[in-house]
Amino acid sequence: MSDVEFTVKFRHRLRFTHNCFDPANGALLELLEPSQENTPASVQVFLDENLARCHPNLQSNIERFADIHAGRMKLAGQVICIKGGEELKSGWSQLEPILKLLDRARLCRHSYAIAIGGGAVLDTVGLAASLFHRGVRLIRIASTTLSQADSGVGVKNGINAFGKKNALGIFTCPWAVINDEGLLSTLSEEDWRSGFAEVVKIALLKDAGLFAEIESRADQIAQRNIEDAIPFIRQSAQMHFDHIVHGEDPFELRHSRPLDFGHWAAHKLEKMSDFKLRHGEAVALGIALDVTYAKRMALLQEEACQRVVGCLNALGFTLNHPLLRESDELLSGLEEFREHLGGPLTVPMVRDIGAMTEIHDIDTSMMREVIEQFFFDRGVMNKPVSAGQLS
Ligand SMILES: NC(=O)c1ccc[n+]([C@@H]2O[C@H](COP(=O)([O-])OP(=O)(O)OC[C@H]3O[C@@H](n4cnc5c(N)ncnc54)[C@H](O)[C@@H]3O)[C@@H](O)[C@H]2O)c1
Ligand SMILES: [Zn+2]
């Protein structure tokens, strides 16, 4: 009998840049290692269709970039535009065409699949890339605030199935992540806002000073002042990155998912809304519910709770979605959250701004009161529900 522990080393690479397909920009080239000496790296590019529509020159810029740098990289197949958004993650059928394209491009394990887009494209192409040949190198070029602030640096790739968020997926470290800040200007107002829910989340868990800064710049962020906003996105990406590389449990083998504060409700609300509610919008709601619950259970001071709800409101999030009427269904998200990870229920929580903790028991009657308070209490309902958020 043998019983041996062993470790596998990964290298996580994160780059911040502007217009990475400008021929003079070296961010991508510097990451490509050829599979054999004096041969260009073989690359298959997948591009988020909505991103391509908003940046009509992007596809030709990628082709031109590859031409100019033909000694360093070679497009293994045409640049493929794939449908962006959560629908792409809806089950197995969307994955298969991507796998076929990887096969058609004759990629090997030393070749690169490059996914350019929002979190949904990064997740789905990432899953396909990690299945093909049991894993080809994946470069994620993140193009939304959410994927730049959070999901891009994650070591997960998941798609939705069986009525559950991210029910199928894999843990693996991407070859590299590039946050191309030049792409953010074309996001819709809702998608722009969405990523800041994750910035607020990481600040609440780890950095009271960062939260205070977000609070003080919330109006500028809501008005899409890019110079004000970019440093927050960068800091959030770096904090998520640091948590993964130094947190000692990147593949979530233990009982807790510390970065998933507010996510038990968020994942359930996304599903209940048939994914009309964006991930970031649902996270904002989930955070608001959890801090209000923490206040009710005397875990968190009232003033801290008010600051969090006030900040989310100032960023423009709506915190009174009609789905909160379905409190029983929403509460079933707690068990689904537990089941996804296994072991005892472990819900990330905050005991102060910037001070994370975990709780293992939720008083469901108290949580139900909190949910109903959010739906009925006009104090939280400072804004009408936007059409995009209606289920
Ligand atoms: N893998 C992980 O670790 C992880 C972590 C957090 C979230 N996620 C996942 O990420 C997804 C959410 O990502 P998201 O918020 O980026 O949403 P998204 O991918 O749905 O993108 C939002 C919309 O913006 C479009 N788009 C992308 N870039 C654009 C641009 N620059 N200009 C204009 N339109 C653009 C997309 O096509 C889409 O319609 C969820 O599925 C969530 O579960 C994954
Ligand atoms: Zn999230």
Side-chain angles (χ1 to χ4, degrees), residues 52 57 89 126-127 170 179 204 217 234 244 285 288 310 333 347 365:
N57 296 329
K89 287 181 59 168
L127 181 55
I170 204 159
N179 280 3
L204 285 176
R217 312 303 286 173
R234 282 192 180 202
I244 288 164
L285 250 166
V347 178
S365 58

Side-chain angles (χ1 to χ4, degrees), residues 65-82:
F65 185 88
D67 274 351
I68 292 170
H69 299 293
R72 305 281 299 279
M73 70 178 271
K74 174 174 153 289
L75 293 179
Q78 297 179 312
V79 173
I80 303 290
C81 283
I82 50 173

Side-chain angles (χ1 to χ4, degrees), residues 71 115 128 208 255 261 272 364 375:
H255 295 318
F261 178 47
M272 285 164 71
T364 46
F375 185 61

Side-chain angles (χ1 to χ4, degrees), residues 48 50-51 54-55 84-86 89 117-121 123 143-144 146-147 150-151 154-157 165-166 183-184 186-188 191 194 198 270 279:
D48 187 312
N50 296 324
L51 170 68
C54 295
H55 296 261
E86 196 68 23
K89 287 181 59 168
V121 165
D123 254 350
S143 69
T144 59
L146 192 129
S147 57
D150 176 349
S151 78
V155 287
K156 308 184 214 182
N157 302 285
K165 183 86 182 160
N166 299 327
L183 299 174
L184 297 176
T186 51
L187 287 169
S188 69
D191 287 312
S194 210
E198 304 282 10
E270 279 181 82
H279 180 69

Side-chain angles (χ1 to χ4, degrees), residues 169-188:
I170 204 159
F171 283 103
T172 189
C173 188
W175 181 263
V177 182
I178 300 177
N179 280 3
D180 189 335
E181 293 155 357
L183 299 174
L184 297 176
S185 60
T186 51
L187 287 169
S188 69

Side-chain angles (χ1 to χ4, degrees), residues 4 13 32 45 68 76 84 101 109 130 150 155 184 187 224 232 263-264 300 306 310 312 355 366 379 382:
V4 183
R13 305 167 175 92
L32 298 173
V45 178
I68 292 170
L101 285 160
R109 283 195 197 146
S130 56
D150 176 349
V155 287
L184 297 176
L187 287 169
R224 303 185 64 147
F232 290 114
H263 279 56
W264 73 266
L300 183 70
Q306 279 174 1
L312 292 170
M366 188 64 88
N382 72 335

Side-chain angles (χ1 to χ4, degrees), residues 12 26 82 85 129 148 191 215 230 257 260 269 313 326 337 367 371:
H12 207 0
I82 50 173
Q148 293 197 3
D191 287 312
E215 254 181 327
I230 291 285
R257 295 152 64 178
D260 277 355
L269 284 164
N313 272 326
E326 325 282 332
F337 187 77
M367 186 60 95
I371 293 168

